[in-house]
Amino acid sequence: KPKHSNSTETIIKNDEVMLNCTVTSNPAPTYTWQSEHLKEEIRSSVLPSSKLSPGKYTCTATNSVGSDSKVFIVKST
């Protein structure tokens, strides 16, 4: 089952920041992002800074064994 090293991470938004939700699991997981700031569903392990507004972003990694979510809190500089 996918497992994140920690369940929450706080990020200060700048031009270089990316939210990285990548986990290692077998079978390989699929990723989904959820946030009130996202207009469409994003299905990748990384969310680039161009898509970010300050707020909360939840990434869920799922495979046939189970799933694990991680919350990213993005704060403005």
Side-chain angles (χ1 to χ4, degrees):
K1 146 179 171 158
K3 182 75 177 124
H4 293 285
S5 56
N6 53 9
S7 60
T8 307
E9 191 172 331
T10 300
I11 306 282
I12 303 298
K13 178 176 170 26
N14 61 37
D15 292 340
E16 306 299 315
V17 75
M18 293 179 82
L19 304 189
N20 189 338
C21 183
T22 306
V23 294
T24 303
S25 67
N26 190 5
T30 58
Y31 300 94
T32 54
W33 287 92
Q34 293 178 307
S35 173
E36 62 188 41
H37 302 291
L38 297 175
K39 292 178 176 44
E40 76 277 352
E41 189 172 71
I42 296 175
R43 295 186 165 272
S44 73
S45 61
V46 175
L47 201 58
S49 63
S50 61
K51 301 243 182 233
L52 301 180
S53 298
K56 191 166 81 169
Y57 296 79
T58 303
C59 173
T60 304
T62 306
N63 67 11
S64 58
V65 182
S67 65
D68 190 40
S69 294
K70 180 172 181 175
V71 175
F72 292 86
I73 299 165
V74 177
K75 297 186 173 184
S76 56
T77 52

